[in-house]
Amino acid sequence: MTKYVSIIGNGESRRGFDISPLKQFSTVIGCNAVFRDYVTEYLVCVDRHMCQEAVNTVSKHTTIFTRDKWAPLFAMWPNVKKIPDLPYSGEERKDDPFHWGTGPHAGNLALSFKPKAIFLLGFDLYGIDKTTVNNMYKNTEGYTYIKRPVDPSYWIYQFHKLMGLSDPDVRWIVVNHDRWEMPKEWKAHANVFQETYEGMARFINKQLTKSK
């Protein structure tokens, strides 16, 4: 059992927030191109091209999770694994694992560690300005195809499923700016909370002080 898991998304809300101390007291799962700036113990890349860039960049000490469709293509890299199966099955397109994005798959991976709390950082879904692309790595390799804001409805639904299926004692803590509005589907869960980056910084400092 892991006490804390921190999942690093790439929404622009986390720009300027130092995520490096998280690895001192939590299991850290990175999403996609976060590996360009930070070394994480685990990385989820469900896009084949992003997985290829990752295996060419990270060390063997980072375990990369990708779709079962792509995993055989990376068989020569022992640190590439298949993402865990979903904890449920459904008939809708958004229930199909192939139509789950990196973030929700990272959430499912986090649950496999049986944590007491899961922190979601940089999971903006949409920016404060909903008319612009909200991604730390927009206009860089692997992201140039994104020309308009991504519809977050699948992400909202898929995390909603995970939050509802997880042990009710597992706390999901969504870290964002105080102006960010959590989806009503997430708010409906008694084990889902919202925290600001300022509050998260205080929590990190408390954990680091306790460990000394």
Side-chain angles (χ1 to χ4, degrees):
M1 176 179 289
T2 301
K3 188 172 184 179
Y4 300 124
V5 174
S6 301
I7 311 177
I8 312 303
N10 294 317
E12 294 179 358
S13 70
R14 72 169 179 82
R15 190 182 302 280
F17 187 82
D18 185 10
I19 63 174
S20 56
L22 292 170
K23 66 179 62 176
Q24 297 186 44
F25 65 89
S26 70
T27 298
V28 181
I29 302 172
C31 293
N32 290 326
V34 69
F35 66 84
R36 296 175 183 173
D37 299 309
Y38 293 94
V39 176
T40 59
E41 187 177 359
Y42 300 97
L43 182 69
V44 179
C45 299
V46 298
D47 178 83
R48 180 169 59 87
H49 299 289
M50 186 58 64
C51 187
Q52 184 66 67
E53 181 184 346
V55 298
N56 291 337
T57 305
V58 305
S59 77
K60 63 181 180 181
H61 300 296
T62 294
T63 302
I64 304 170
F65 287 86
T66 194
R67 300 189 192 279
D68 54 4
K69 183 175 182 179
W70 310 137
L73 303 177
F74 300 96
M76 64 184 296
W77 282 276
N79 60 323
V80 177
K81 310 292 183 183
K82 296 178 183 178
I83 49 178
D85 293 335
L86 299 187
Y88 79 103
S89 60
E91 300 300 322
E92 297 187 55
R93 187 174 186 269
K94 54 191 174 185
D95 295 313
D96 183 343
F98 196 79
H99 294 293
W100 275 50
T102 294
H105 274 302
N108 189 37
L109 174 62
L111 288 175
S112 72
F113 293 104
K114 302 186 183 306
K116 292 185 176 180
I118 298 172
F119 297 98
L120 301 178
L121 292 86
F123 283 82
D124 298 355
L125 306 175
Y126 33 71
I128 298 299
D129 177 1
K130 297 182 180 180
T131 65
T132 60
V133 175
N134 181 280
N135 192 291
M136 293 278 289
Y137 300 99
K138 62 185 178 185
N139 301 320
T140 67
E141 185 176 354
Y143 293 88
T144 54
Y145 70 94
I146 304 176
K147 303 298 183 183
R148 58 181 61 87
V150 178
D151 178 1
S153 59
Y154 274 32
W155 301 335
I156 293 171
Y157 171 84
Q158 291 157 359
F159 269 110
H160 165 63
K161 295 292 286 188
L162 291 176
M163 292 164 175
L165 290 167
S166 64
D167 187 315
D169 290 333
V170 175
R171 291 171 292 154
W172 295 79
I173 303 167
V174 188
V175 182
N176 214 295
H177 296 306
D178 55 9
R179 292 178 295 161
W180 182 81
E181 185 176 351
M182 184 186 293
K184 64 181 186 301
E185 295 90 339
W186 298 7
K187 286 182 179 179
H189 299 287
N191 60 334
V192 179
F193 307 89
Q194 186 169 344
E195 181 58 270
T196 64
Y197 283 100
E198 292 76 16
M200 187 65 191
R202 290 191 293 270
F203 177 79
I204 291 173
N205 184 62
K206 182 178 179 180
Q207 299 307 307
L208 299 184
T209 301
K210 286 167 56 177
S211 64
K212 290 181 179 178

